[in-house]
Amino acid sequence: MSERGLLIVLSGPSGVGKGTVRKAIFDSEENDFQYSISMTTRKMREGEVEGVDYYFRTKEEFEAMIEAGEMLEYAQYVGNYYGTPLSYVNQTLDKGKDVFLEIEVQGAEQVKEQVPDGVFIFLTPPDLAELKSRIVGRGTDDHEVIEERMRVAREEIEMMALYDYAVVNDEVPLAVKRIKEIIASEHFRVDRVIGNYIKMLKEM
Amino acid sequence: MSERGLLIVLSGPSGVGKGTVRKAIFDSEENDFQYSISMTTRKMREGEVEGVDYYFRTKEEFEAMIEAGEMLEYAQYVGNYYGTPLSYVNQTLDKGKDVFLEIEVQGAEQVKEQVPDGVFIFLTPPDLAELKSRIVGRGTDDHEVIEERMRVAREEIEMMALYDYAVVNDEVPLAVKRIKEIIASEHFRVDRVIGNYIKMLKEM
């Protein structure tokens, strides 16, 4: 049965290990999705290849694409733009192939607005799962340190609320396994497949 | 982190092989959920054990439990009651253990009303996935036969709409794998885990 691909968004707080997990997923067996290549205005480095590492564009070209609504998400970092072009993502999804985005939380928020039926996975630091012991367990830290840790934890929990799934990155192979199971399961969601059945019946 | 168990409901059209799949799941490795034992008013057969095969009760006892709202779901079949007692299910969920129910579609509808956040999995016959070829593919059947097949398919699709997931029972080991992945993934859903994080923060 033909079915549109899923847009999978992996994000999480900076430093949580998103890139490592994404790489491990793409290096693993039985991965049947497409990594979306980002577009950037930063200079191409030695060894990098256009359309493999990034799509390299000028600032003017990038801004014209933003203006035209052709970016699924984008952000500025150290004076350069980074983002995901919409056209490639849509073409891949239309072919029935899943697209996997590993992006920062700000980008994930933009994608959520444009593609609410994407699969949003929040990678959680292990110290969030062990919140209590991390924050107060040692009992030797002063009030301000504890307050700061609680503020960070609160921020991460607030971010998490926008996502469909929260996966703890305690061990990379475990996180990979969980994410692959989530993607497999999402393909069986009734609201994703029932339309095809109804269409089949109507066409007869 | 303590988390309430999931109520997993496996159902589907009669004859789809629910019992076979359920048995294969419980015989498989790494299954960490509790099969809910049904209650019935039918006579105990030789070799059956109270509290293992069924809870055997009189018609009067069963009807008193229905009256008292102590049945999660029940149905009558060939003059006997069959159903799931609520207390056992709730106790098991409160311990953080998942409960697995394999029941008829009418029962699943009752459970859906009482426990909307359960995980509802619809086992689909392979001929529903191959709907078109099954219904019109051979081209030798008369109009009435085709109409009847379409009516059955339409009914099954209508049933499916109440569920969260639709899993094709093409091969039992594959169906088992898919169902176990779904259950694992559901444990990572943000709406199931975020409450624990918020509670942890509040308690500090």
Side-chain angles (χ1 to χ4, degrees):
Chain A
M1 238 181 337
S2 74
E3 191 192 327
R4 204 166 188 251
L6 299 178
L7 180 60
I8 301 137
V9 178
L10 178 68
S11 192
S14 59
V16 74
K18 298 187 282 294
T20 310
V21 169
R22 184 255 301 160
K23 201 177 170 307
I25 287 175
F26 279 85
D27 289 346
S28 70
E29 283 174 33
E30 285 184 56
N31 90 66
D32 190 28
F33 27 75
Q34 203 67 45
Y35 178 58
S36 169
I37 296 150
S38 294
M39 190 170 279
T40 185
T41 58
R42 81 151 165 75
K43 285 218 178 77
M44 198 188 285
R45 291 176 193 150
E46 209 178 308
E48 286 186 332
V49 178
E50 159 71 16
V52 173
D53 297 289
Y54 282 101
Y55 296 110
F56 295 94
R57 295 291 181 273
T58 65
K59 199 183 167 199
E60 291 69 31
E61 289 169 329
F62 202 111
E63 287 177 343
M65 287 187 69
I66 295 171
E67 280 297 306
E70 290 169 8
M71 298 305 288
L72 180 57
E73 55 88 28
Y74 69 94
Q76 268 189 304
Y77 179 71
V78 206
N80 286 305
Y81 284 111
Y82 293 80
T84 307
L86 192 56
S87 58
Y88 172 78
V89 169
N90 271 330
Q91 283 162 23
T92 313
L93 294 177
D94 286 341
K95 283 181 202 154
K97 221 168 159 59
D98 298 342
V99 175
F100 193 101
L101 297 182
E102 175 245 313
I103 49 180
E104 300 300 325
V105 287
Q106 292 76 6
E109 284 172 25
Q110 296 175 41
V111 178
K112 181 85 183 176
E113 276 172 32
Q114 291 202 56
V115 190
D117 70 342
V119 181
F120 292 81
I121 303 171
F122 188 77
L123 202 62
T124 308
D127 59 356
L128 184 57
E130 295 151 14
L131 204 55
K132 201 161 181 172
S133 57
R134 274 283 292 114
I135 294 179
V136 295
R138 285 166 298 182
T140 54
D141 302 305
D142 65 42
H143 190 66
E144 272 175 40
V145 174
I146 290 176
E147 280 298 305
E148 173 59 13
R149 286 194 200 130
M150 284 196 65
R151 193 191 57 74
V152 170
R154 208 172 285 123
E155 260 185 34
E156 289 175 352
I157 292 166
E158 276 168 20
M159 283 180 203
M160 186 197 292
L162 293 172
Y163 292 73
D164 301 306
Y165 298 92
V167 169
V168 179
N169 190 20
D170 44 0
E171 290 179 45
V172 172
L174 275 180
V176 168
K177 182 174 175 281
R178 291 166 188 148
I179 290 168
K180 289 174 78 170
E181 285 177 346
I182 288 169
I183 296 169
S185 300
E186 279 287 329
H187 280 281
F188 300 120
R189 287 197 76 87
V190 163
D191 46 14
R192 299 199 191 276
V193 299
I194 200 166
N196 289 315
Y197 284 117
I198 293 168
K199 203 168 147 235
M200 269 197 297
L201 269 187
K202 278 190 184 152
E203 281 169 357
M204 285 190 287
Chain B
M1 236 179 343
S2 75
E3 191 191 325
R4 202 166 188 252
L6 299 179
L7 179 61
I8 302 137
V9 177
L10 178 68
S11 191
S14 58
V16 73
K18 297 187 285 293
T20 310
V21 169
R22 183 255 303 159
K23 198 175 172 311
I25 287 174
F26 279 85
D27 289 346
S28 70
E29 283 172 33
E30 283 186 59
N31 92 65
D32 191 28
F33 25 74
Q34 201 67 46
Y35 179 57
S36 167
I37 297 150
S38 294
M39 191 171 278
T40 185
T41 58
R42 82 150 165 75
K43 285 214 177 82
M44 197 189 285
R45 292 178 193 149
E46 208 178 308
E48 286 185 333
V49 178
E50 159 72 19
V52 175
D53 297 289
Y54 282 100
Y55 298 110
F56 295 94
R57 293 293 179 272
T58 65
K59 199 182 167 201
E60 290 68 33
E61 287 169 332
F62 202 111
E63 286 177 344
M65 289 188 68
I66 297 173
E67 280 299 303
E70 289 168 8
M71 297 304 290
L72 180 57
E73 56 87 28
Y74 69 95
Q76 269 189 305
Y77 180 70
V78 206
N80 286 305
Y81 284 111
Y82 293 81
T84 307
L86 191 56
S87 58
Y88 173 79
V89 168
N90 271 331
Q91 283 163 23
T92 314
L93 295 175
D94 286 342
K95 282 181 204 155
K97 218 167 163 59
D98 298 342
V99 175
F100 193 100
L101 297 182
E102 175 245 314
I103 50 179
E104 301 300 325
V105 286
Q106 292 77 6
E109 284 172 27
Q110 295 174 42
V111 178
K112 182 84 183 178
E113 276 172 35
Q114 292 203 55
V115 190
D117 71 341
V119 182
F120 291 81
I121 304 171
F122 188 78
L123 201 62
T124 307
D127 59 357
L128 183 59
E130 295 150 15
L131 204 56
K132 201 161 181 172
S133 57
R134 274 284 291 119
I135 293 179
V136 295
R138 285 168 296 183
T140 53
D141 302 305
D142 64 40
H143 189 67
E144 273 176 38
V145 173
I146 291 176
E147 279 298 304
E148 173 59 15
R149 285 192 200 130
M150 286 196 63
R151 192 191 59 75
V152 170
R154 208 173 285 124
E155 260 185 33
E156 289 174 351
I157 293 165
E158 278 168 20
M159 283 180 202
M160 185 196 293
L162 293 172
Y163 291 74
D164 301 305
Y165 298 93
V167 169
V168 179
N169 189 20
D170 44 0
E171 289 178 45
V172 172
L174 276 179
V176 167
K177 182 173 176 282
R178 292 167 189 149
I179 290 168
K180 289 173 80 171
E181 284 176 346
I182 287 168
I183 297 169
S185 300
E186 279 285 329
H187 280 279
F188 300 120
R189 289 198 74 88
V190 164
D191 46 14
R192 298 198 191 276
V193 300
I194 200 165
N196 289 315
Y197 285 116
I198 293 169
K199 203 167 148 235
M200 270 196 297
L201 270 188
K202 280 191 183 151
E203 281 169 357
M204 284 189 290

